[in-house]
Amino acid sequence: MGKTLIIAEKPSQAREYAKTLGVKGKGEGYFENDDYIISWCIGHLFELKPPETYMDLFKVGKRWGIHRLPVLPQLGEFQYELKPSTLKQYNVLQRLLKSQEVRQVICGTDADREGQLLFQEVWDTLGSKKPLFRLWISSLTQEAIREGMSKLRPFHEVEGLAQAGYGRSYGDWDFGMNLTEGFTALFGSFDPVRKKPNVISIGRVQTPTLALVVEREWAIQNFVPVSYVELEAEFESAKGCYKGKWFDKDRLASHGQTKEAEKDQETDRDKHILDLERGKAILAKVQGRPGKVCSVKDKESTEPHPLLFDLTSLTVTASKRYGFGAEKVLKIAQSLYEKKAITYPRTDCNYLPPDMLPKLKSHLKALEQGPFEQWAKEALDRPLPKGKRVINEITAHHAIIPTTERIAQNLSPDEQKIWEMIVLRFLSTWFPPARYAEREIITVVEDEFFLTKEKTLLEPGWKRVEKTGKHSEDSAPKLPSLSQEERVGTRSCQVLQKETKPPKRYTQGDLIKAMEGAGKEVEDETLRRQLKGKGLGTVATRGAIIENLLTRGYILQQQKVLVPTEKGMELIRLIKERLPRAQLLISAEMTGQMEYELAQVERGEIPLSRYMEKVEQAVRGIIEELRHYEATHGKKPLAFAPQKQGTQGRKSKSNQESRSQEPHAPKTDKAKDGKESSASASGDSLGTCPSCGGGVEEREKGYGCQNWKKGCPFILWKNPICGKVLTPAQVKSLLKKGRTNLIKGFRSKNGKNFAAYLVWENPSSGKLKFEFERNNPTKPG
């Protein structure tokens, strides 16, 4: 009758399948019994070959350059090579797939696009014709595996998923390989600190994500604070004192609603609606004067439980609560999934499907232990959570919830934190909304209006379980009991001088949200659902994209926030100001649209060929623009990455979409004619040599005089100065003005950051010294 071969994504997954199906026999690279053979892939066994595979190197040479590009293999022409580290397991799979003993095959890799792709690469390479089915499950519990095995999907249902996987892989290769070589050939140079080329890495998702961080930094740098004042009065009644804030009565009259008037008030601050002079005039007008209560409104409001976690909201919450990076959250969640503690984590859905309702109590019963026993028992006595905030339309995978397994205390401290977050969020859905009493009072003094608001917690509801609400909420009202037309006195009044604040830098959680919303930080749940599928990257890859930006020196992690490096800012400025056709690389909307089109490929709505046509058209256009730039302007090296990159100097291994798609770094040997490499020097004069009056040019290891053969000794070495290496623009300013512009990001021996100018100490010898701002004379510690 033959056996069924199940191919898992990794050994740990295969072990769970074997345990559930009673497969106890073990061979080299597989488990086996009379009915099943269970083997695994160890992630991607193959990788796409480099661009040189498709080149005639005798004609174009081995050195990176625009003349070698573009390289755009057609569908069916992309070539793979087996990773040396996976050869042994590949041979196992090859033998099993060709075995006469195997009658049918089940793809049991992770139920997502990347999981499908890594299986598909093996399947298509070996060309097996055996009957093929898909195991589609959301957890690794025995119950879920058995149910999935009883409902195997025919392969044609996931053909679109496989095509989208190939589209992601091929499209990222086209962008990454071609544009990284093209940008590096024009804007790269030799990094003397690392003693290797300064590669200018470009990626379909990576580059627009970098643009989000850079543009936020520019908004902060260019922010001009607007001064405004708030007027706060304290009123005295027979029943007690209370405070109120002034607001524009005309706007109240035009809108008729204090909530809308208050929103307009926030906007009007930028327009100097209440400046200092007017604030002082109102203060003098109302100080010590009698007033009256002209409106008292009481109402009740409710706050429903938060939505269940998807990977994005889990990352955002863990980032705020514990300072965890996006890649760390995914790694912890994946570990919890493999330990059968939670359902599949790489999901972009906050809901559960209707067919899960009968099973939910079994998930609760697994929590009747330890710190959650009280809440689980209470929840079991409550009705099932059938509301649309829990049961709703889902995507490929439902929300992250705890499984039906009782979890032994074998979790690491970080795993415990993430698991408890998921458990408490799940438990909160069984409890009613929190109830509040809201009171709004409008007081008028001398025809000036003051607003007082109070929100009192009446019933905590779900907040008893998950303490995500305000911990300072008080169930006791503080405002005195007032009535309309009641007379009050103005006990005191003060003008509070304030300034508008610049936008905040992104945390990793904030950036993940911005990536999900195609560059927009979307709070509204309905709008978030509409934008799903049109963001930068996928829910499973965004953390790795951020990790790559850190690793490649485009951004730095400082405390909880992300800051772009000089290299990152110069790249985005170059694209925005000098390369109009390449601006699609930094368009979050354009990249989000491409992600949406991949989703259309997955659903079978458009063919893969149409997606690839758009990719190829974009790559050709940018390469042509780079070719024109080279002919017009030559080569212009960008800044180096900082010496210490990010907080985790390691390459991401989580997903091929955001793994390095860079070609191998270009060689930096001298050319045969004895001139310096075109990637390490621009050859343009940056200014006048202070020693002999000749021109100063950039070289591989420094900025030197063009008259060096005549004996001029002038040179500015590219050695780091308190962690910063001089850029061509800074040298040009130094030669012209005798000082650089203000340079931020110097780092003292004590590890403190500081900003300073660099000025000449001895121009002819190239010696420099720091000069500090007069209004900020703090020197490095």
Side-chain angles (χ1 to χ4, degrees):
M1 185 175 177
K3 297 182 179 182
T4 296
L5 171 63
I6 303 174
I7 299 179
E9 186 155 329
K10 57 184 72 171
S12 59
Q13 194 178 52
R15 281 193 293 271
E16 295 302 328
Y17 294 161
K19 184 177 177 181
T20 300
L21 300 174
V23 182
K24 298 180 179 179
K26 188 172 182 181
E28 187 68 32
Y30 63 93
F31 301 99
E32 184 176 20
N33 69 1
D34 292 340
D35 299 313
Y36 295 101
I37 301 174
I38 303 173
S39 190
W40 52 86
C41 282
I42 327 179
H44 286 276
L45 302 183
F46 294 91
E47 57 189 359
L48 289 167
K49 290 185 177 181
E52 286 76 10
T53 306
Y54 311 93
M55 296 177 181
D56 184 345
L57 295 179
F58 288 104
K59 288 185 178 180
V60 300
K62 295 181 180 181
R63 187 169 202 81
W64 281 12
I66 299 296
H67 66 284
R68 307 199 318 168
L69 306 173
V71 180
L72 298 167
Q74 297 300 298
L75 286 176
E77 294 179 358
F78 280 91
Q79 296 183 38
Y80 287 86
E81 58 187 358
L82 191 64
K83 297 178 182 178
S85 61
T86 63
L87 175 61
K88 185 176 180 181
Q89 190 60 23
Y90 171 75
N91 289 333
V92 171
L93 291 174
Q94 182 179 40
R95 179 173 59 80
L96 292 174
L97 281 168
K98 293 183 177 181
S99 171
Q100 296 297 319
E101 193 178 13
V102 173
R103 64 179 176 83
Q104 66 177 14
V105 180
I106 296 173
C107 171
T109 53
D110 279 355
D112 60 14
R113 189 167 71 189
E114 210 62 30
Q116 189 67 38
L117 176 62
L118 65 88
F119 168 83
Q120 210 71 37
E121 289 168 345
V122 176
W123 179 261
D124 292 342
T125 299
L126 293 176
S128 177
K129 301 297 182 183
K130 297 180 186 294
L132 178 60
F133 299 90
R134 186 52 157 111
L135 174 62
W136 196 268
I137 56 177
S138 290
S139 79
L140 290 175
T141 64
Q142 293 190 18
E143 179 186 4
I145 293 170
R146 289 194 188 100
E147 183 178 356
M149 289 294 292
S150 68
K151 298 178 180 179
L152 292 172
R153 294 187 178 186
F155 177 72
H156 68 81
E157 290 187 9
V158 294
E159 279 185 307
L161 189 68
Q163 289 291 294
Y166 278 126
R168 195 283 306 154
S169 180
Y170 297 158
D172 285 358
W173 190 96
D174 281 354
F175 272 102
M177 292 296 183
N178 282 279
L179 301 185
T180 295
E181 177 169 344
F183 272 77
T184 301
L186 264 63
F187 311 114
S189 59
F190 185 81
D191 186 336
V193 176
R194 293 176 180 77
K195 295 181 172 53
K196 64 179 182 180
N198 182 32
V199 174
I200 309 301
S201 172
I202 301 292
R204 179 181 65 90
V205 181
Q206 171 187 289
T207 306
T209 302
L210 171 61
L212 293 178
V213 181
V214 170
E215 286 171 352
R216 174 61 58 89
E217 190 70 17
W218 286 340
I220 294 169
Q221 291 176 356
N222 297 328
F223 179 78
V224 178
V226 176
S227 297
Y228 68 94
V229 300
E230 287 183 353
L231 199 63
E232 184 178 82
E234 184 176 8
F235 303 109
E236 187 173 26
S237 74
K239 299 171 185 175
C241 297
Y242 65 98
K243 292 181 178 181
K245 284 187 178 180
W246 178 91
F247 65 92
D248 191 331
K249 64 176 182 179
D250 296 328
R251 205 160 285 283
L252 171 66
S254 65
H255 288 285
Q257 295 181 9
T258 56
K259 188 169 285 189
E260 290 185 23
E262 191 175 22
K263 286 181 180 178
D264 275 356
Q265 187 79 18
E266 296 291 324
T267 304
D268 287 342
R269 285 173 182 167
D270 291 348
K271 301 176 184 176
H272 300 257
I273 287 297
L274 188 58
D275 59 25
L276 181 59
E277 292 305 313
R278 188 179 176 198
K280 287 180 177 179
I282 296 172
L283 182 146
K285 182 180 179 183
V286 304
Q287 186 76 272
R289 303 297 296 171
K292 70 175 181 179
V293 177
C294 69
S295 171
V296 178
K297 292 181 181 179
D298 290 298
K299 68 175 183 178
E300 277 197 17
S301 64
T302 60
E303 182 183 348
H305 62 77
L307 298 180
L308 292 167
F309 282 124
D310 63 358
L311 183 58
T312 297
S313 56
L314 179 66
T315 302
V316 171
T317 306
S319 175
K320 287 181 179 178
R321 195 171 297 179
Y322 302 118
F324 290 172
E327 188 75 348
K328 181 174 182 177
V329 174
L330 177 57
K331 183 179 178 181
I332 293 170
Q334 183 68 23
S335 177
L336 289 171
Y337 171 66
E338 291 172 8
K339 290 181 177 180
K340 298 184 282 185
I342 63 171
T343 57
Y344 188 68
R346 289 178 167 91
T347 175
D348 63 352
C349 182
N350 302 98
Y351 306 104
L352 302 175
D355 62 5
M356 280 197 71
L357 268 174
K359 308 170 189 176
L360 290 184
K361 291 211 170 184
S362 61
H363 291 259
L364 271 183
K365 288 177 181 177
L367 300 173
E368 287 185 288
Q369 59 179 349
F372 310 117
E373 183 176 1
Q374 172 198 345
W375 304 120
K377 287 183 182 297
E378 187 173 340
L380 283 166
D381 293 331
R382 293 177 175 272
L384 292 170
K386 298 179 182 179
K388 287 188 176 181
R389 292 183 66 81
V390 180
I391 305 299
N392 210 321
E393 180 183 347
I394 70 165
T395 52
H397 292 282
H398 59 67
I400 307 169
I401 61 173
T403 66
T404 56
E405 296 280 323
R406 287 183 178 268
I407 302 304
Q409 298 302 312
N410 64 341
L411 304 181
S412 70
D414 287 345
E415 287 174 339
Q416 189 74 28
K417 289 174 182 176
I418 298 296
W419 185 61
E420 286 185 2
M421 283 172 51
I422 294 166
V423 168
L424 290 172
R425 182 63 60 93
F426 174 67
L427 286 169
S428 73
T429 64
W430 298 76
F431 290 81
R435 286 196 311 117
Y436 293 90
E438 293 187 21
R439 171 166 287 193
E440 182 180 278
I441 300 169
I442 296 177
T443 306
V444 61
V445 182
E446 296 295 325
D447 208 28
E448 299 293 344
F449 288 74
F450 295 82
L451 178 66
T452 305
K453 300 183 81 172
E454 180 181 73
K455 187 175 182 180
T456 306
L457 182 65
L458 298 176
E459 170 57 51
W462 63 270
K463 291 194 173 188
R464 291 191 300 135
V465 180
E466 186 179 347
K467 300 184 185 299
T468 57
K470 295 179 181 178
H471 295 280
S472 60
E473 286 177 331
D474 195 338
S475 58
K478 297 174 184 177
L479 288 178
S481 179
L482 300 169
S483 57
Q484 195 164 330
E485 301 298 321
E486 184 171 341
R487 296 292 172 175
V488 298
T490 307
R491 187 175 182 182
S492 66
C493 190
Q494 60 178 329
V495 172
L496 305 174
Q497 297 191 47
K498 299 192 174 183
E499 282 188 342
T500 52
K501 302 293 184 184
K504 294 181 179 179
R505 290 188 174 98
Y506 288 112
T507 64
Q508 288 205 31
D510 294 334
L511 185 55
I512 289 282
K513 285 171 65 178
M515 292 172 74
E516 182 186 59
K520 303 175 182 68
E521 289 186 81
V522 181
E523 300 294 339
D524 182 77
E525 292 166 4
T526 303
L527 186 55
R528 276 186 68 204
R529 292 186 71 195
Q530 292 173 356
L531 285 173
K532 278 189 186 293
K534 292 188 177 182
L536 298 180
T538 66
V539 66
T541 62
R542 290 172 187 138
I545 292 293
I546 296 173
E547 182 75 9
N548 281 341
L549 289 172
L550 288 164
T551 301
R552 292 167 184 169
Y554 284 128
I555 62 176
L556 293 172
Q557 181 90 43
Q558 292 185 356
Q559 304 296 330
K560 289 186 178 181
V561 299
L562 298 170
V563 181
T565 64
E566 193 168 358
K567 177 181 178 179
M569 289 194 286
E570 284 191 7
L571 174 61
I572 300 304
R573 184 179 291 110
L574 169 76
I575 293 172
K576 285 181 72 72
E577 296 179 357
R578 307 300 295 272
L579 300 170
R581 296 191 72 172
Q583 287 181 19
L584 67 86
L585 289 172
I586 58 174
S587 166
E589 290 80 3
M590 179 68 72
T591 308
Q593 181 62 29
M594 293 182 69
E595 200 67 53
Y596 179 69
E597 288 167 2
L598 270 178
Q600 289 181 300
V601 173
E602 182 175 324
R603 295 190 295 268
E605 296 170 1
I606 64 172
L608 175 57
S609 58
R610 187 186 303 177
Y611 172 79
M612 291 304 300
E613 283 171 8
K614 292 188 176 182
V615 170
E616 291 165 4
Q617 182 181 7
V619 171
R620 284 194 182 95
I622 296 171
I623 291 297
E624 187 57 38
E625 184 172 60
L626 292 177
R627 187 173 285 114
H628 176 74
Y629 185 98
E630 181 181 37
T632 307
H633 304 288
K635 299 174 172 61
K636 303 287 184 182
L638 298 182
F640 300 123
Q643 195 163 359
K644 291 184 179 179
Q645 300 178 16
T647 57
Q648 307 170 25
R650 59 175 174 78
K651 291 222 174 184
S652 166
K653 297 180 181 178
S654 69
N655 191 285
Q656 193 173 356
E657 174 171 344
S658 51
R659 266 194 295 231
S660 173
Q661 291 287 351
E662 296 176 1
H664 297 295
K667 296 181 179 179
T668 56
D669 300 334
K670 306 281 183 178
K672 289 181 181 179
D673 61 2
K675 295 179 181 178
E676 280 195 356
S677 158
S678 61
S680 62
S682 65
D684 295 339
S685 175
L686 298 171
T688 303
C689 173
S691 181
C692 74
V696 175
E697 63 184 5
E698 183 183 10
R699 299 181 195 152
E700 184 175 322
K701 297 183 179 181
Y703 303 92
C705 181
Q706 293 173 338
N707 292 330
W708 64 275
K709 288 185 178 180
K710 298 177 182 179
C712 181
F714 176 82
I715 190 164
L716 281 170
W717 297 106
K718 289 181 178 178
N719 298 328
I721 303 171
C722 290
K724 302 287 286 186
V725 176
L726 281 172
T727 66
Q730 290 163 349
V731 172
K732 186 178 282 188
S733 176
L734 192 61
L735 294 170
K736 184 177 181 181
K737 304 175 184 177
R739 62 187 290 175
T740 65
N741 293 328
L742 185 67
I743 301 174
K744 299 179 180 180
F746 286 117
R747 199 164 185 84
S748 71
K749 293 179 180 179
N750 295 334
K752 293 182 179 179
N753 288 337
F754 67 96
Y757 303 93
L758 285 174
V759 299
W760 293 120
E761 181 176 335
N762 185 338
S764 60
S765 66
K767 287 187 178 181
L768 302 171
K769 64 180 181 180
F770 290 119
E771 181 179 286
F772 299 93
E773 292 182 285
R774 292 179 183 176
N775 60 351
N776 184 23
T778 304
K779 296 185 180 182

